[in-house]
């Protein structure tokens, strides 16, 4: 039997996401390239809000995605970096510290509704059936060049979107003075997944310093096609703090 708190969280989630995630498939036939990466703990910990710590060893997920059939805008591309964290030592998940898209509607939905820190960029995702080649260009810099080759098919793949995540902003955001931390758990239907090998080149900038945060080549790489079904829950779980805002303003808003 669900507790009163769980019932309240479910009710709040339904109200907040009404209109953001309609019934059925939120993203159909989404193509993901996802990489487990080692993280520089000294650089990454400066990006964390109050109450969050990196797991040991420090690690994260870098991904590039091609959304062929979203139900709220035209097809678009996306990339992001998720840091594996522990919140108040009680709950582990992934904190989204950086995300880029090439569609303004996807940016607005992401930032204002589900609190992903999306910024605009030029993103490519070309798949010839064997190799996926992705690039990211922003503010005159080629931030990412990624070539990924499929290997063996995965019968029981690990989650891609279907993870617990922490985002900051969205509803109740008041710029520097009040930034809510939201807990979000995605729902997905994985249609096809492969192990893969990657060749990754990164070049950072003041506004997108991922080359300073990520160490070396990917530890593991996977490619998948999936349907994103929405979110299992989405509710406020803390505040980010003024120090977090001052440390992340360039990466988040520029």
């Amino acid at each position: 039997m669900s507790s009163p708190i769980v019932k309240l969280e479910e009710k709040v989630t339904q109200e907040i996401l009404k209109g953001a995630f309609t019934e059925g498939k939120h993203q159909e036939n989404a193509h993901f390239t996802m990489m487990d990466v080692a993280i520089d703990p000294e650089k990454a910990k400066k990006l964390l809000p109050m109450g969050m710590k990196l797991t040991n060893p420090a690690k994260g997920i870098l991904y590039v995605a091609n959304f062929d059939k979203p139900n709220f805008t035209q097809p678009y591309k996306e990339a992001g970096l998720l840091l594996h964290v522990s919140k108040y030592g009680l709950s582990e998940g992934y904190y989204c510290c950086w995300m880029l898209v090439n569609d303004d509607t996807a940016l607005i939905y992401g930032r204002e509704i589900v609190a992903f820190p999306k910024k605009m960029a030029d993103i490519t995702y070309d798949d010839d059936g064997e190799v996926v080649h992705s690039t990211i260009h922003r503010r005159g810099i080629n931030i990412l060049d990624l070539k990924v080759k499929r290997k063996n098919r995965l019968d029981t793949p690990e989650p891609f979107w279907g993870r617990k995540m922490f985002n900051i902003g969205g509803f109740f955001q008041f710029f520097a003075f009040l930034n809510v931390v939201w807990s979000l758990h995605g729902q997905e239907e994985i249609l096809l997944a492969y192990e893969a090998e990657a060749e990754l080149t990164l070049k950072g900038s003041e506004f997108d310093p991922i080359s300073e945060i990520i160490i070396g080549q990917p530890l593991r790489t996977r490619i998948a096609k999936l349907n994103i079904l929405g979110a299992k829950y989405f509710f406020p779980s803390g505040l980010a703090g003024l120090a977090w805002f001052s440390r992340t303003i360039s990466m988040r808003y520029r």
Side-chain angles (χ1 to χ4, degrees):
M1 182 178 295
S2 299
S3 70
I5 293 178
V6 171
K7 290 181 179 179
L8 178 60
E9 289 173 352
E10 291 175 348
K11 184 176 181 180
V12 170
T13 297
Q14 291 170 2
E15 290 301 316
I16 289 176
L17 296 183
K18 189 181 295 181
F21 293 126
T22 57
E23 292 184 2
K25 299 179 179 69
H26 178 61
Q27 302 272 11
E28 190 172 355
N29 291 334
H31 298 264
F32 270 75
T33 297
M34 182 169 283
M35 296 156 283
D36 296 335
V37 292
I39 296 295
D40 185 321
E42 294 302 314
K43 298 288 179 59
K45 70 181 183 181
K46 297 176 183 179
L47 306 176
L48 301 181
M50 292 189 304
M52 279 190 199
K53 292 184 178 180
L54 296 168
T55 55
N56 188 18
K59 59 184 179 179
I61 292 173
L62 176 66
Y63 76 90
V64 185
N66 180 25
F67 296 115
D68 274 346
K69 196 176 179 182
N71 69 358
F72 60 94
T73 188
Q74 64 186 3
Y76 70 96
K77 315 288 193 301
E78 180 178 285
L81 178 60
L82 311 174
L83 304 178
H84 192 201
V85 297
S86 171
K87 190 170 185 294
Y88 298 112
L90 300 174
S91 176
E92 288 191 6
Y94 287 85
Y95 165 56
C96 183
C97 67
W98 177 82
M99 187 176 285
L100 302 176
V101 294
N102 67 347
D103 178 78
D104 56 356
T105 302
L107 182 146
I108 293 167
Y109 270 61
R111 289 191 75 101
E112 297 191 8
I113 298 178
V114 285
F116 283 110
K118 295 186 177 184
K119 303 187 291 187
M120 292 290 286
D122 295 320
I123 306 172
T124 67
Y125 191 101
D126 298 315
D127 187 351
D128 65 7
E130 182 179 358
V131 175
V132 179
H133 183 206
S134 303
T135 64
I136 300 175
H137 184 84
R138 187 171 189 269
R139 290 181 175 263
I141 296 176
N142 295 319
I143 296 171
L144 175 147
D145 191 295
L146 173 66
K147 295 182 178 69
V148 177
K149 185 176 182 180
R150 287 175 174 82
K151 296 174 68 177
N152 55 296
R153 183 170 174 174
L154 296 171
D155 295 325
T156 55
E158 297 175 20
F160 280 71
W161 165 259
R163 300 171 181 270
K164 183 173 185 177
M165 292 172 276
F166 301 107
N167 298 337
I168 299 173
F171 295 99
F172 312 130
Q173 181 177 213
F174 191 56
F175 207 49
F177 304 102
L178 178 64
N179 280 279
V180 175
V181 178
W182 297 87
S183 293
L184 163 71
H185 196 295
Q187 291 181 300
E188 67 185 2
E189 177 188 14
I190 299 176
L191 306 174
L192 195 63
Y194 293 89
E195 284 282 0
E197 56 184 14
E199 180 183 338
L200 174 65
T201 302
L202 297 174
K203 183 177 181 181
S205 70
E206 175 187 356
F207 311 115
D208 303 286
I210 60 169
S211 63
E212 299 177 8
I213 300 169
I214 296 172
I215 300 173
Q217 288 293 307
L219 305 173
R220 185 188 179 196
T221 305
R222 287 156 290 151
I223 297 173
K225 181 170 74 170
L226 55 110
N227 296 327
I228 294 177
L229 308 178
K232 187 183 298 184
Y233 57 73
F234 181 72
F235 60 88
S237 59
L239 296 175
L242 185 59
W244 165 85
F245 177 83
S246 65
R247 292 193 301 262
T248 62
I249 187 168
S250 289
M251 190 171 180
R252 189 175 183 86
Y253 295 102
R254 297 174 179 169

